[in-house]
Amino acid sequence: MKTALRDRIGKARVSTVPSVAARARMALLAYLDTTSGDAVADLADGTAATDIAEAALSGAPTPPGLACAQGCAFCCILSGADGGTMTEAEARRLHAALAPLAGQSDGRAWHPKACPALDPETRMCRAYEARPMICRTYVSTDADACAQVAEGTAVTGPGTLGPYHTYLAALGLSRAALKGTRRVATYALSRLAAAAVSGDDIDTALNAARHKPGELDAELRRSKRDLGRMKT
Ligand code: SF4
Ligand code: SF4
């Protein structure tokens, strides 16, 4: 079983920069070697991709000069109806954290586009331990730049750390490796959080927040473009 999966991962293709694809592939193969759980399920629900990124994040030094602080929440003002990409495992974790808060005032009482997981008074995440990788890796050296991004102005400064790009690549490889056998879905952060705080059960929330398959490809293209900018 693991041998066949190793072979599929080895042959899988993902559209990102080659070094990130290679890092994600090696990490997925190492995950297979060390996990005692159901590796196929872990690839399908994104547990493997998230664990890989979390390990990379915990081993990386904090970049110097970050402006990030408690209550600074311009990055929790989400664009469009999507708000960011999550795995199924992350979506389930976020739903479990937010479901007990259903009916309470949420971030949208502070800003109409804020994440429903945000506390509108303290501007702190009410699901901090369950926040997805996009939130864990988004940082900035300039909070004013984040405020501009929140209002739709494209400025340089804020962005995601390297482990987010590895996570996306690992998800893309997982999807390619499991093609025809298991679905590897992604979910919209803002739609999932809104469903959870309105009291929807997990299945209803997942159905409301599930991305079309092309959304992961689109996020990988954005990731590749951002990585290309970092090199210049
Ligand atoms: S990413 Fe920007 S808005 Fe978010 S905590 Fe850091 S400085 Fe503040
Ligand atoms: S989950 Fe938490 S950290 Fe992420 S956008 Fe929502 S409030 Fe902000």
Side-chain angles (χ1 to χ4, degrees), residues 86-119:
M86 290 190 301
T87 66
E88 180 177 331
E90 289 177 315
R92 288 182 179 277
R93 213 161 35 230
L94 188 61
H95 183 276
L98 292 177
L101 309 178
Q104 295 182 11
S105 177
D106 65 58
R108 292 167 293 183
W110 166 58
H111 188 288
K113 290 185 180 172
C115 177
L118 195 70
D119 184 311

Side-chain angles (χ1 to χ4, degrees), residues 184-200:
V184 180
T186 58
Y187 296 83
L189 167 57
S190 51
R191 289 208 296 273
L192 189 288
V197 300
S198 72
D200 288 349

Side-chain angles (χ1 to χ4, degrees), residues 57 68 75-76 78 83-86 90 94 115 117 125 127-128 130-139 159-161 164 167 189:
L57 203 53
C68 301
C75 53
C76 300
L78 306 176
T85 294
M86 290 190 301
E90 289 177 315
L94 188 61
C115 177
C125 180
Y128 191 77
R131 72 201 192 288
M133 191 53 60
I134 181 77
C135 305
R136 292 171 190 265
T137 54
Y138 195 87
V139 294
T160 44
L161 297 171
Y164 180 68
Y167 154 94
L189 167 57

Side-chain angles (χ1 to χ4, degrees), residues 33-51:
D33 288 341
T34 53
T35 186
S36 56
D38 182 342
V40 171
D42 288 354
L43 261 65
D45 75 2
T47 296
T50 307
D51 282 5

